[in-house]
Amino acid sequence: LGAGTGRLTASLLADGRRLVAVDACQAMLDRAAPALAAWPSRVRLVCADVRALALGETFPLAVAPFGMTAHLLSDADRLAAFTAIRRHLRPGGAFVYDDRPAWLQPAPDPTALVRERDALDPDTGRRVRYLTNRLRSADERFSVSYDFIDQLEDERIVQRTVLKVVFRDLVPAEELELLATAGFGRVELYGGFDGRPFDADELSSNERLILRCWPDHG
């Protein structure tokens, strides 16, 4: 869920999995398709809104990686998504997702423009620089990121794209309440991809918030 350009999907396919890769943006799936072409019988690409998901089959595992749920900006959006995901799980199946909400990170410097990474644009041959400016919202349940994507020639900017991204930063108690309402009767919290338990008392010891959720019927 939130398959994007297929980086994680390709890794799971290489590990022998069968997947349905879902994203709300057809352009992202179009970019993913060539990278996934080596496994035509084991992957299906679906452009769909997770809040109204109807794939016609059930699964032992649903995964929403790298903060996908943070883009669901209201309780109604998140509840609709969780409910739709639960309907797609087989008995005993699990829903796993992760996030790195603003309250889990050091307070951002609103004046800083952080250089995240550089890459090469295969279409233009130009170097691409990705910078981000993170802000806290007046409403603590939201945070904002301004992402600057620069195409460079000899360190000169020849094209700049600016993206504003808003995230919903629910605390665990609110998240667990929505999951319970959606029918997830058991939830385990982890503080990192290494499986460490989530530490609510020492937030700095957590790398991420990871939730593994089982429906009531499981």
Side-chain angles (χ1 to χ4, degrees):
L1 302 166
T5 58
R7 181 178 57 176
L8 179 58
T9 305
S11 178
L12 291 169
L13 287 166
D15 196 41
R17 311 288 181 173
R18 184 184 70 83
L19 293 104
V20 176
V22 177
D23 202 280
C25 177
Q26 184 60 52
M28 297 289 274
L29 293 174
D30 290 343
R31 292 197 58 165
L36 307 179
W39 303 279
S41 65
R42 288 199 282 113
V43 64
R44 176 161 65 102
L45 305 184
V46 176
C47 184
D49 186 328
V50 68
R51 296 168 296 182
L53 202 60
L55 298 175
E57 59 179 311
T58 56
F59 305 86
L61 178 65
V63 178
F66 305 126
M68 187 281 281
T69 58
H71 298 281
L72 300 166
L73 299 182
S74 71
D75 284 354
D77 287 339
R78 206 166 289 201
L79 181 58
F82 290 162
T83 301
I85 292 165
R86 178 185 54 77
R87 289 196 300 263
H88 285 79
L89 290 175
R90 297 172 189 167
F95 169 42
V96 180
Y97 67 104
D98 71 288
D99 193 11
R100 194 161 184 256
W103 48 262
L104 199 58
Q105 306 174 58
D109 178 357
T111 66
L113 194 57
V114 179
R115 191 165 185 161
E116 296 281 356
R117 60 182 178 271
D118 289 36
L120 188 68
D121 186 334
D123 296 327
T124 65
R126 293 172 179 158
R127 192 161 54 81
V128 178
R129 179 179 64 187
Y130 169 45
L131 309 102
T132 189
N133 171 234
R134 303 186 192 282
L135 306 170
R136 289 281 176 91
S137 169
D139 185 335
E140 293 184 353
R141 294 170 299 175
F142 297 89
S143 55
V144 179
S145 171
Y146 285 93
D147 297 334
F148 297 80
I149 303 169
D150 295 336
Q151 293 213 14
L152 305 174
E153 288 182 356
D154 299 323
E155 290 299 314
R156 182 174 59 89
I157 299 173
V158 296
Q159 180 179 322
R160 166 167 282 184
T161 303
V162 182
L163 305 174
K164 178 184 178 182
V165 184
V166 180
F167 303 98
R168 182 96 186 276
D169 298 316
L170 290 182
V171 297
E174 296 173 309
E175 196 88 9
L176 293 172
E177 183 177 351
L178 287 172
L179 286 164
T181 302
F184 287 96
R186 180 162 65 100
V187 180
E188 293 179 353
L189 304 181
Y190 303 92
F193 291 125
D194 56 3
R196 74 186 71 173
F198 182 79
D199 190 337
D201 297 319
E202 187 62 48
L203 291 180
S204 62
S205 68
N206 304 291
E207 292 180 349
R208 299 187 76 81
L209 172 62
I210 301 171
L211 301 95
R212 184 161 59 167
C213 320
W214 289 269
D216 293 325
H217 63 56

